[in-house]
Amino acid sequence: MKRRDFIKKSALAGAGLSILPGIDGLQQEALAATRPKHPVVISSGNGLEAVKKAMSMIKGGSDTLDAVIAGVNIVEDDPDDLTVGYGGLPNEDGVVELDSSVMHGPTHNAGAVASIRNIKNPSKVAKLVMERTDHVLIVGEGALRFARAHGFKEEDLLTDKTRKIWLKWKENLNSKDDWLPGPEDEYSQLLEQYREVYGTINCCAVDTNGDLSGVTTTSGLSFKIPGRVGDSPIIGAGLFVDNEVGAAGSTGRGEANLKNLCSFLVVEFMRMGKSPEEACIQTCQRIADNTKMAMLLDDNGRPNFNVKFYAVNKKGQFGAAAIYEGGNFCVADAKGARHEDIAYLFKRKK
Ligand code: GLY
């Protein structure tokens, strides 16, 4: 098939026009019974506004991918979320580098950018990588040039607040260098809170056709080595969608996820019949089982880090789980938008 024909065919599938021609009325009814009666959108705990926005767009007829991207754009634009987009914490040089991926269920297509600088909405660039290139992932300088070619405005993503937290980190890094620590202030506390934070937002949705999409976007690990890429832009790790099964994404320590391809695993567990929550729990267990390096284990032999998963299946059932108890996730469904407690594998040690 020629590339342009492929693109045309994909566009038809995306519009829902190629599903099961010729099935009779009874089969149509049986099919409808397996579809959600109402759209469902889920996200990490920082995405209440994102799930509200995505839900209102899906109800208005938008494609699930456009809806979840518009949802996370609110968080990318928010200077008060220090783990995503504008106002995200920078790398060790004080430069913000962003990672994002998107995946569209109906076309099984995906796009991503990693280590992109100066662009507030990497999720929008990831969608253009999906739609306007024959690639899946573009990184660094290439991603920035690609965004520029598509008219994205470059801006400094470091805010005064994140610059001051970074400076505090830099000044306190090494007692033998020439940077002298300033006085204790509000940024000292913020530094303790954000010293090794992975943050991130994931948002996934299913509409009443059973069509699914997802997006993950992040500034990644705070004060990372420049060029460090986490799980968020890696399809199968930070995000995976299979339109026959469900969608899943993650937040937390990306390195653990990269070694286990966890979002793919969550979807595969759902394919085997597990509920979204159980699929997320089993995936946390997989990380715990595969964490063997002493530096990553606590006194109980358990991971000394956290990872969280969020999943929704084609029927609209949803769930989320973390390795450790605590925290919540967001959902919007027929009952409205809200936070719910996240399930967990291990209780915290007292
Ligand atoms: N999960 C986000 C990161 O590790 O970069």
Side-chain angles (χ1 to χ4, degrees), residues 83 99 197-201 216-222 224 228-233 238 250-258 306-308:
T83 71
D99 298 339
V197 158
Y198 295 87
T200 307
I201 179 166
T216 303
T217 178
T218 188
S219 51
L221 172 63
S222 51
K224 60 194 171 188
R228 176 265 187 192
V229 173
D231 56 330
S232 303
S250 76
T251 61
R253 183 179 154 82
E255 281 72 9
N257 189 351
L258 284 166
N306 206 4
V307 185
K308 298 178 180 178

mmCIF file of all heavy atoms in Angstrom, residues 83 99 197-201 216-222 224 228-233 238 250-258 306-308, ligand 1:
data_model
loop_
_atom_site.group_PDB
_atom_site.id
_atom_site.type_symbol
_atom_site.label_atom_id
_atom_site.label_comp_id
_atom_site.label_asym_id
_atom_site.label_seq_id
_atom_site.Cartn_x
_atom_site.Cartn_y
_atom_site.Cartn_z
ATOM 1 N N THR A 83 5.776 19.876 37.675
ATOM 2 C CA THR A 83 6.245 18.615 37.086
ATOM 3 C C THR A 83 5.855 18.443 35.626
ATOM 4 O O THR A 83 6.124 17.391 35.036
ATOM 5 C CB THR A 83 5.696 17.404 37.869
ATOM 6 O OG1 THR A 83 4.286 17.282 37.629
ATOM 7 C CG2 THR A 83 5.946 17.542 39.361
ATOM 8 N N ASP A 99 9.077 15.903 27.967
ATOM 9 C CA ASP A 99 8.814 14.640 27.253
ATOM 10 C C ASP A 99 7.297 14.467 27.129
ATOM 11 O O ASP A 99 6.574 14.746 28.098
ATOM 12 C CB ASP A 99 9.300 13.433 28.065
ATOM 13 C CG ASP A 99 10.804 13.407 28.338
ATOM 14 O OD1 ASP A 99 11.555 14.070 27.608
ATOM 15 O OD2 ASP A 99 11.194 12.698 29.277
ATOM 16 N N VAL A 197 11.649 14.452 42.294
ATOM 17 C CA VAL A 197 10.248 14.291 41.925
ATOM 18 C C VAL A 197 10.152 13.971 40.436
ATOM 19 O O VAL A 197 10.866 14.552 39.620
ATOM 20 C CB VAL A 197 9.471 15.569 42.319
ATOM 21 C CG1 VAL A 197 8.201 15.716 41.520
ATOM 22 C CG2 VAL A 197 9.154 15.529 43.805
ATOM 23 N N TYR A 198 9.274 13.013 40.136
ATOM 24 C CA TYR A 198 9.090 12.599 38.738
ATOM 25 C C TYR A 198 7.814 13.200 38.152
ATOM 26 O O TYR A 198 7.720 13.403 36.949
ATOM 27 C CB TYR A 198 9.029 11.069 38.644
ATOM 28 C CG TYR A 198 10.308 10.391 39.040
ATOM 29 C CD1 TYR A 198 10.584 10.070 40.360
ATOM 30 C CD2 TYR A 198 11.265 10.084 38.080
ATOM 31 C CE1 TYR A 198 11.766 9.443 40.726
ATOM 32 C CE2 TYR A 198 12.455 9.458 38.433
ATOM 33 C CZ TYR A 198 12.698 9.131 39.764
ATOM 34 O OH TYR A 198 13.871 8.512 40.112
ATOM 35 N N GLY A 199 6.812 13.447 39.029
ATOM 36 C CA GLY A 199 5.604 14.152 38.605
ATOM 37 C C GLY A 199 4.923 13.546 37.397
ATOM 38 O O GLY A 199 4.774 12.338 37.328
ATOM 39 N N THR A 200 4.496 14.426 36.443
ATOM 40 C CA THR A 200 3.875 13.959 35.186
ATOM 41 C C THR A 200 2.353 13.987 35.256
ATOM 42 O O THR A 200 1.770 13.825 36.319
ATOM 43 C CB THR A 200 4.304 12.512 34.856
ATOM 44 O OG1 THR A 200 5.705 12.418 34.880
ATOM 45 C CG2 THR A 200 3.777 12.013 33.536
ATOM 46 N N ILE A 201 1.721 14.145 34.088
ATOM 47 C CA ILE A 201 0.279 13.865 33.977
ATOM 48 C C ILE A 201 0.061 12.849 32.865
ATOM 49 O O ILE A 201 0.658 12.952 31.786
ATOM 50 C CB ILE A 201 -0.574 15.141 33.746
ATOM 51 C CG1 ILE A 201 -2.064 14.757 33.625
ATOM 52 C CG2 ILE A 201 -0.129 15.942 32.534
ATOM 53 C CD1 ILE A 201 -3.009 15.942 33.725
ATOM 54 N N THR A 216 0.558 11.338 27.672
ATOM 55 C CA THR A 216 1.358 11.515 28.880
ATOM 56 C C THR A 216 2.320 12.665 28.617
ATOM 57 O O THR A 216 2.897 12.753 27.520
ATOM 58 C CB THR A 216 2.138 10.224 29.206
ATOM 59 O OG1 THR A 216 1.195 9.158 29.349
ATOM 60 C CG2 THR A 216 2.922 10.359 30.512
ATOM 61 N N THR A 217 2.477 13.556 29.590
ATOM 62 C CA THR A 217 3.350 14.714 29.374
ATOM 63 C C THR A 217 4.008 15.119 30.693
ATOM 64 O O THR A 217 3.389 15.044 31.748
ATOM 65 C CB THR A 217 2.568 15.879 28.695
ATOM 66 O OG1 THR A 217 3.428 17.008 28.542
ATOM 67 C CG2 THR A 217 1.339 16.301 29.458
ATOM 68 N N THR A 218 5.286 15.528 30.608
ATOM 69 C CA THR A 218 6.057 15.733 31.845
ATOM 70 C C THR A 218 7.292 16.607 31.622
ATOM 71 O O THR A 218 7.793 16.707 30.494
ATOM 72 C CB THR A 218 6.539 14.363 32.378
ATOM 73 O OG1 THR A 218 7.119 14.528 33.662
ATOM 74 C CG2 THR A 218 7.579 13.724 31.476
ATOM 75 N N SER A 219 7.784 17.190 32.730
ATOM 76 C CA SER A 219 9.126 17.789 32.692
ATOM 77 C C SER A 219 10.145 16.778 33.227
ATOM 78 O O SER A 219 11.330 17.080 33.330
ATOM 79 C CB SER A 219 9.172 19.086 33.504
ATOM 80 O OG SER A 219 8.642 18.898 34.796
ATOM 81 N N GLY A 220 9.664 15.601 33.589
ATOM 82 C CA GLY A 220 10.566 14.515 33.983
ATOM 83 C C GLY A 220 11.169 14.722 35.361
ATOM 84 O O GLY A 220 10.745 15.574 36.142
ATOM 85 N N LEU A 221 12.174 13.943 35.646
ATOM 86 C CA LEU A 221 12.847 13.982 36.954
ATOM 87 C C LEU A 221 13.454 15.363 37.201
ATOM 88 O O LEU A 221 14.168 15.901 36.344
ATOM 89 C CB LEU A 221 13.944 12.910 36.955
ATOM 90 C CG LEU A 221 14.890 12.892 38.136
ATOM 91 C CD1 LEU A 221 14.160 12.592 39.431
ATOM 92 C CD2 LEU A 221 15.985 11.851 37.907
ATOM 93 N N SER A 222 13.188 15.914 38.395
ATOM 94 C CA SER A 222 13.747 17.229 38.720
ATOM 95 C C SER A 222 15.285 17.162 38.754
ATOM 96 O O SER A 222 15.857 16.191 39.256
ATOM 97 C CB SER A 222 13.214 17.698 40.078
ATOM 98 O OG SER A 222 13.376 16.705 41.069
ATOM 99 N N LYS A 224 17.475 16.579 36.546
ATOM 100 C CA LYS A 224 18.038 15.417 35.836
ATOM 101 C C LYS A 224 19.307 15.793 35.062
ATOM 102 O O LYS A 224 19.561 16.979 34.772
ATOM 103 C CB LYS A 224 16.989 14.875 34.859
ATOM 104 C CG LYS A 224 16.541 15.886 33.804
ATOM 105 C CD LYS A 224 15.279 15.421 33.089
ATOM 106 C CE LYS A 224 14.706 16.516 32.190
ATOM 107 N NZ LYS A 224 13.381 16.154 31.639
ATOM 108 N N ARG A 228 18.409 13.346 29.800
ATOM 109 C CA ARG A 228 17.762 12.158 30.397
ATOM 110 C C ARG A 228 16.310 12.073 29.895
ATOM 111 O O ARG A 228 15.572 13.048 29.907
ATOM 112 C CB ARG A 228 17.784 12.263 31.914
ATOM 113 C CG ARG A 228 17.050 11.139 32.656
ATOM 114 C CD ARG A 228 15.629 11.496 33.019
ATOM 115 N NE ARG A 228 14.972 10.501 33.858
ATOM 116 C CZ ARG A 228 13.674 10.492 34.097
ATOM 117 N NH1 ARG A 228 12.880 11.385 33.575
ATOM 118 N NH2 ARG A 228 13.149 9.567 34.873
ATOM 119 N N VAL A 229 15.923 10.896 29.440
ATOM 120 C CA VAL A 229 14.548 10.692 28.968
ATOM 121 C C VAL A 229 13.906 9.652 29.875
ATOM 122 O O VAL A 229 14.494 8.599 30.140
ATOM 123 C CB VAL A 229 14.547 10.214 27.500
ATOM 124 C CG1 VAL A 229 13.137 9.833 27.056
ATOM 125 C CG2 VAL A 229 15.104 11.312 26.589
ATOM 126 N N GLY A 230 12.706 9.946 30.337
ATOM 127 C CA GLY A 230 11.985 9.009 31.195
ATOM 128 C C GLY A 230 11.063 8.107 30.395
ATOM 129 O O GLY A 230 11.269 7.871 29.206
ATOM 130 N N ASP A 231 10.044 7.616 31.061
ATOM 131 C CA ASP A 231 9.102 6.690 30.428
ATOM 132 C C ASP A 231 8.033 7.407 29.608
ATOM 133 O O ASP A 231 7.475 6.827 28.667
ATOM 134 C CB ASP A 231 8.418 5.824 31.499
ATOM 135 C CG ASP A 231 7.728 6.661 32.579
ATOM 136 O OD1 ASP A 231 8.194 7.786 32.862
ATOM 137 O OD2 ASP A 231 6.722 6.195 33.132
ATOM 138 N N SER A 232 7.752 8.673 29.946
ATOM 139 C CA SER A 232 6.568 9.336 29.377
ATOM 140 C C SER A 232 6.509 9.340 27.851
ATOM 141 O O SER A 232 5.434 9.144 27.288
ATOM 142 C CB SER A 232 6.473 10.774 29.898
ATOM 143 O OG SER A 232 6.445 10.767 31.299
ATOM 144 N N PRO A 233 7.645 9.554 27.143
ATOM 145 C CA PRO A 233 7.531 9.600 25.682
ATOM 146 C C PRO A 233 7.731 8.241 25.023
ATOM 147 O O PRO A 233 7.797 8.164 23.795
ATOM 148 C CB PRO A 233 8.668 10.550 25.289
ATOM 149 C CG PRO A 233 9.715 10.273 26.306
ATOM 150 C CD PRO A 233 9.005 9.926 27.580
ATOM 151 N N GLY A 238 5.357 4.733 29.169
ATOM 152 C CA GLY A 238 4.535 5.763 29.805
ATOM 153 C C GLY A 238 3.119 5.830 29.301
ATOM 154 O O GLY A 238 2.265 6.500 29.899
ATOM 155 N N SER A 250 1.223 6.115 32.945
ATOM 156 C CA SER A 250 1.860 6.071 34.254
ATOM 157 C C SER A 250 2.448 7.400 34.656
ATOM 158 O O SER A 250 2.680 8.291 33.823
ATOM 159 C CB SER A 250 2.962 5.022 34.248
ATOM 160 O OG SER A 250 4.056 5.547 33.555
ATOM 161 N N THR A 251 2.720 7.515 35.953
ATOM 162 C CA THR A 251 3.502 8.600 36.516
ATOM 163 C C THR A 251 4.451 7.965 37.537
ATOM 164 O O THR A 251 4.252 6.823 37.938
ATOM 165 C CB THR A 251 2.607 9.646 37.228
ATOM 166 O OG1 THR A 251 1.905 9.007 38.303
ATOM 167 C CG2 THR A 251 1.588 10.259 36.285
ATOM 168 N N GLY A 252 5.464 8.717 37.947
ATOM 169 C CA GLY A 252 6.405 8.167 38.921
ATOM 170 C C GLY A 252 7.740 7.835 38.280
ATOM 171 O O GLY A 252 8.042 8.324 37.181
ATOM 172 N N ARG A 253 8.521 6.993 38.964
ATOM 173 C CA ARG A 253 9.899 6.742 38.542
ATOM 174 C C ARG A 253 9.963 6.050 37.166
ATOM 175 O O ARG A 253 9.740 4.844 37.032
ATOM 176 C CB ARG A 253 10.613 5.885 39.596
ATOM 177 C CG ARG A 253 12.066 5.638 39.267
ATOM 178 C CD ARG A 253 12.751 4.793 40.344
ATOM 179 N NE ARG A 253 13.882 4.081 39.773
ATOM 180 C CZ ARG A 253 15.091 4.612 39.584
ATOM 181 N NH1 ARG A 253 15.348 5.833 39.944
ATOM 182 N NH2 ARG A 253 16.056 3.891 39.047
ATOM 183 N N GLY A 254 10.310 6.846 36.158
ATOM 184 C CA GLY A 254 10.300 6.361 34.780
ATOM 185 C C GLY A 254 11.276 5.235 34.522
ATOM 186 O O GLY A 254 11.014 4.345 33.706
ATOM 187 N N GLU A 255 12.408 5.243 35.230
ATOM 188 C CA GLU A 255 13.429 4.221 34.973
ATOM 189 C C GLU A 255 12.875 2.821 35.263
ATOM 190 O O GLU A 255 13.157 1.870 34.533
ATOM 191 C CB GLU A 255 14.678 4.490 35.813
ATOM 192 C CG GLU A 255 15.594 5.586 35.254
ATOM 193 C CD GLU A 255 15.028 6.993 35.392
ATOM 194 O OE1 GLU A 255 14.003 7.187 36.074
ATOM 195 O OE2 GLU A 255 15.630 7.929 34.806
ATOM 196 N N ALA A 256 12.054 2.704 36.322
ATOM 197 C CA ALA A 256 11.468 1.390 36.667
ATOM 198 C C ALA A 256 10.492 0.952 35.589
ATOM 199 O O ALA A 256 10.426 -0.228 35.222
ATOM 200 C CB ALA A 256 10.764 1.485 38.014
ATOM 201 N N ASN A 257 9.765 1.913 35.077
ATOM 202 C CA ASN A 257 8.786 1.621 34.034
ATOM 203 C C ASN A 257 9.481 1.221 32.725
ATOM 204 O O ASN A 257 9.077 0.268 32.049
ATOM 205 C CB ASN A 257 7.912 2.866 33.863
ATOM 206 C CG ASN A 257 6.725 2.619 32.969
ATOM 207 O OD1 ASN A 257 6.627 1.567 32.335
ATOM 208 N ND2 ASN A 257 5.830 3.566 32.902
ATOM 209 N N LEU A 258 10.562 1.946 32.399
ATOM 210 C CA LEU A 258 11.288 1.649 31.150
ATOM 211 C C LEU A 258 11.844 0.223 31.151
ATOM 212 O O LEU A 258 11.957 -0.407 30.097
ATOM 213 C CB LEU A 258 12.444 2.641 30.966
ATOM 214 C CG LEU A 258 12.028 4.033 30.501
ATOM 215 C CD1 LEU A 258 13.173 5.026 30.676
ATOM 216 C CD2 LEU A 258 11.559 4.011 29.058
ATOM 217 N N ASN A 306 8.264 5.075 44.019
ATOM 218 C CA ASN A 306 6.865 4.796 43.702
ATOM 219 C C ASN A 306 6.608 4.943 42.199
ATOM 220 O O ASN A 306 7.280 5.742 41.525
ATOM 221 C CB ASN A 306 5.944 5.769 44.465
ATOM 222 C CG ASN A 306 4.563 5.178 44.706
ATOM 223 O OD1 ASN A 306 4.305 4.015 44.363
ATOM 224 N ND2 ASN A 306 3.684 5.949 45.298
ATOM 225 N N VAL A 307 5.691 4.155 41.686
ATOM 226 C CA VAL A 307 5.188 4.308 40.317
ATOM 227 C C VAL A 307 3.684 4.110 40.397
ATOM 228 O O VAL A 307 3.201 3.289 41.192
ATOM 229 C CB VAL A 307 5.805 3.279 39.344
ATOM 230 C CG1 VAL A 307 5.348 3.557 37.905
ATOM 231 C CG2 VAL A 307 7.328 3.298 39.400
ATOM 232 N N LYS A 308 2.931 4.885 39.599
ATOM 233 C CA LYS A 308 1.459 4.793 39.604
ATOM 234 C C LYS A 308 0.964 4.520 38.184
ATOM 235 O O LYS A 308 1.549 5.041 37.218
ATOM 236 C CB LYS A 308 0.848 6.102 40.099
ATOM 237 C CG LYS A 308 1.243 6.440 41.525
ATOM 238 C CD LYS A 308 0.671 7.777 41.974
ATOM 239 C CE LYS A 308 1.095 8.064 43.420
ATOM 240 N NZ LYS A 308 0.615 9.353 43.906
HETATM 241 N N1 GLY B 1 7.453 9.397 34.821
HETATM 242 C C1 GLY B 1 8.137 10.556 34.471
HETATM 243 C C2 GLY B 1 9.586 10.400 34.353
HETATM 244 O O1 GLY B 1 10.174 9.504 34.925
HETATM 245 O O2 GLY B 1 10.195 11.197 33.669
#
